[in-house]
Amino acid sequence: METVKLQKALAQTGLASRREIERWIAEGRVQVNGQTAALGARVSSVDQVKVDDRLVTISCGAEHRRVLVYNKPEGEVCSRKDNEGRPTVFDRLPKLKGERWINIGRLDINTSGLLLFTSDGELANRLMHPSYQVEREYAVRVMGEVTPEITERLFKGVTLEDGPARFTDIVDSGGDGINRWFHVVIMEGRNREVRRLWESQGVKVSRLKRVRYGNVILSSRVKVGAWEELPQREVDELAKLVGLSVKPVPVHSKQGKTDLQRQQRKHPTSKPRKKKPVRPQR
């Protein structure tokens, strides 16, 4: 039976990067078959692996890689489940057998646009990690006067509550009145970073849409609330961007393609789910 290193198997689930998982193992937070794991241990798909006493399903030896482009509408949250009953970005995705979709970065509930998902946890972690300097481009509508001095400050960098931040590119895309559109690029994915940068200059973001992540551009083919699977060439380019070797994108059978097309046509409503009424106890 094929085995792989424990830290690699856990990284492929999308829990964290290999380096972070190696630290967890050194701290004794990982168990294999009831025993505290040692760094360098090898596991197979039949081993029981726990992190902080939580069972983790691992899949060893996955030799393929899948990436989805999703056009997120406003009103969806980037989590698998939501306690408030709001729709999540996972509701619309095709189902996987023996794997799970991992979102590459997040968008807040009021931000729309490009969201990437992958079956490869290591690819997800590298694309999100600041050390790889992967560009994220946004189209942003700003309400208020934006002077050359403001754009100069945002380009050079300002200090936010969680440290210095800046746009690496700012392009004026036009507009009418007090509302103007800009295209901006950041190299990190900190919480609400684009909004906070503009708000630090006394202007308000009224619309925000991500249009590019690395070398992947949101195509007009992908309508709001729809997804599209990337072909081999684009998946390979994305992997090479962060120094990963190429893996094949699985070839779907005729029935598999039919199932995918059926799932693409199913578009659950973006409206919040209605909560069941709580009946008073007698």
Side-chain angles (χ1 to χ4, degrees):
M1 184 173 293
E2 185 176 1
T3 63
V4 297
K5 285 189 176 181
L6 176 60
Q7 56 266 39
K8 179 179 180 180
L10 287 173
Q12 288 174 342
T13 69
L15 279 176
S17 66
R18 283 200 204 185
R19 184 174 298 177
E20 180 72 4
I21 289 168
E22 287 172 356
R23 184 173 65 82
W24 294 353
I25 295 171
E27 292 173 352
R29 295 170 56 186
V30 182
Q31 291 184 324
V32 177
N33 299 325
Q35 302 295 319
T36 301
L39 197 61
R42 301 185 71 86
V43 293
S44 71
S45 57
V46 300
D47 289 309
Q48 186 185 74
V49 179
K50 289 184 176 181
V51 176
D52 295 332
D53 293 323
R54 181 169 63 88
L55 188 64
V56 178
T57 302
I58 61 172
S59 177
C60 298
E63 294 302 323
H64 62 264
R65 175 183 288 136
R66 297 178 67 179
V67 178
L68 290 184
V69 169
Y70 178 58
N71 191 347
K72 175 191 176 296
E74 294 180 11
E76 289 185 353
V77 294
C78 288
S79 59
R80 295 183 186 274
K81 294 182 180 179
D82 183 67
N83 294 332
E84 298 179 31
R86 296 171 296 185
T88 84
V89 294
F90 290 92
D91 291 342
R92 304 175 188 259
L93 302 188
K95 305 302 179 185
L96 288 178
K97 293 182 179 179
E99 297 177 297
R100 66 173 187 164
W101 291 117
I102 302 160
N103 50 309
I104 300 173
R106 302 168 69 88
L107 294 174
D108 67 48
I109 192 169
N110 295 318
T111 301
S112 63
L114 175 63
L115 193 58
L116 294 177
F117 292 86
T118 181
S119 60
D120 186 336
E122 190 166 14
L123 175 65
N125 284 312
R126 289 200 184 193
L127 285 169
M128 290 185 286
H129 201 281
S131 64
Y132 287 95
Q133 295 286 283
V134 178
E135 292 185 342
R136 291 92 155 157
E137 182 178 345
Y138 294 79
V140 52
R141 188 175 69 187
V142 177
M143 187 169 64
E145 184 182 5
V146 179
T147 64
E149 291 76 20
I150 286 178
T151 55
E152 182 69 16
R153 284 195 294 270
L154 291 174
F155 186 75
K156 288 185 174 180
V158 298
T159 300
L160 303 177
E161 58 268 27
D162 53 355
R166 62 183 287 261
F167 293 131
T168 59
D169 197 15
I170 307 173
V171 176
D172 189 336
S173 301
D176 297 317
I178 62 170
N179 289 298
R180 295 196 67 81
W181 282 94
F182 293 85
H183 276 72
V184 298
V185 175
I186 57 174
M187 309 295 282
E188 296 180 280
R190 283 188 270 172
N191 184 40
R192 300 182 72 254
E193 186 174 359
V194 174
R195 294 180 187 274
R196 290 188 292 132
L197 274 164
W198 284 108
E199 288 167 0
S200 73
Q201 304 304 302
V203 295
K204 183 179 179 181
V205 172
S206 56
R207 287 285 302 280
L208 184 60
K209 179 180 182 179
R210 185 153 67 196
V211 296
R212 179 171 65 88
Y213 199 113
N215 60 317
V216 179
I217 299 171
L218 182 62
S219 168
S220 59
R221 293 190 310 273
V222 187
K223 304 304 180 184
V224 175
W227 54 265
E228 179 178 87
E229 187 158 5
L230 289 184
Q232 185 73 58
R233 178 181 58 81
E234 293 185 49
V235 173
D236 292 348
E237 290 174 355
L238 199 57
K240 290 175 182 177
L241 187 66
V242 289
L244 286 177
S245 58
V246 170
K247 288 184 179 181
V249 172
V251 178
H252 301 295
S253 64
K254 186 176 180 180
Q255 181 60 47
K257 289 181 180 178
T258 301
D259 291 342
L260 276 177
Q261 290 168 354
R262 186 182 299 116
Q263 291 185 68
Q264 280 179 311
R265 289 194 293 267
K266 287 177 63 178
H267 285 174
T269 178
S270 293
K271 296 178 181 179
R273 305 184 192 94
K274 291 183 179 180
K275 295 183 180 180
K276 293 182 179 179
V278 179
R279 295 180 179 177
Q281 294 182 350
R282 294 181 178 179

